[in-house]
């Protein structure tokens, strides 16, 4: 079960502001009745919580990355099949490479 940081969390905004202004952790702790270590750990926790997440890539960027990945895989398969001597399979994969994936496919039924 996690520890409750009630006193420090209530004062976190004030402590962070004073620390940003350049005041020492010892002086901040003495004024609020906390130890230097408590102030250091509070600031450390606040820094961990406030880190922003990576932005999700847009749909267009995701599709572009997937297409590039698939092209690399097709090229790898072509190289493997050319070494193995399977010319029909190479033709099949080269058609796949030249196909436009951004346009809808016609119904095959």
């Amino acid at each position: 079960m996690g520890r409750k940081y009630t006193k420090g969390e209530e004062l976190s905004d004030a402590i962070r502001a004073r620390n940003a202004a350049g005041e020492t952790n010892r002086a901040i702790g003495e004024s609020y009745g906390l130890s230097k270590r408590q102030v250091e750990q509070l600031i450390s926790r606040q820094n961990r919580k406030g880190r922003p997440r990576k932005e999700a890539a847009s749909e267009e960027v995701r599709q572009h990355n997937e297409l590039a990945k698939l092209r690399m895989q097709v090229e790898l398969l072509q190289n493997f099949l050319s070494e193995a001597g399977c010319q029909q399979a190479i033709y099949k994969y080269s058609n796949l490479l030249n196909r436009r994936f951004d346009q809808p496919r016609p119904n095959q039924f």
Side-chain angles (χ1 to χ4, degrees), residues 27-89:
I28 295 170
E30 287 174 0
S31 66
Y32 292 119
L34 302 170
S35 70
K36 175 186 161 201
R37 179 110 172 109
Q38 287 175 314
V39 174
E40 288 172 351
Q41 288 177 342
L42 175 72
I43 291 170
S44 174
R45 280 194 308 276
Q46 293 299 322
N47 288 341
R48 274 196 315 258
K49 289 180 184 177
R51 199 163 94 207
R53 301 277 182 203
K54 283 178 102 176
E55 286 186 31
S58 69
E59 185 64 29
E60 183 178 331
V61 171
R62 259 187 261 131
Q63 285 180 352
H64 175 71
N65 291 342
E66 185 177 359
L67 185 59
K69 180 181 170 186
L70 290 173
R71 284 189 173 153
M72 285 190 287
Q73 288 176 350
V74 167
E75 186 178 343
L76 181 65
L77 282 171
Q78 282 180 335
N79 290 340
F80 172 76
L81 292 172
S82 67
E83 292 293 323
C86 301
Q87 294 301 322
Q88 284 184 329

Side-chain angles (χ1 to χ4, degrees), residues 8-24:
E9 293 298 326
E10 291 172 0
L11 303 171
S12 65
D13 293 333
I15 290 173
R16 179 179 268 188
R18 289 176 69 176
N19 185 274
E23 198 169 339
T24 64

Side-chain angles (χ1 to χ4, degrees), residues 1 5 12 31-32 39 51 83-84 90 94 99 102-103 109:
M1 192 159 106
Y5 299 101
S12 65
S31 66
Y32 292 119
V39 174
R51 199 163 94 207
E83 292 293 323
I90 294 172
S94 64
R99 194 165 133 214
D102 56 342
Q103 296 178 352
F109 299 109

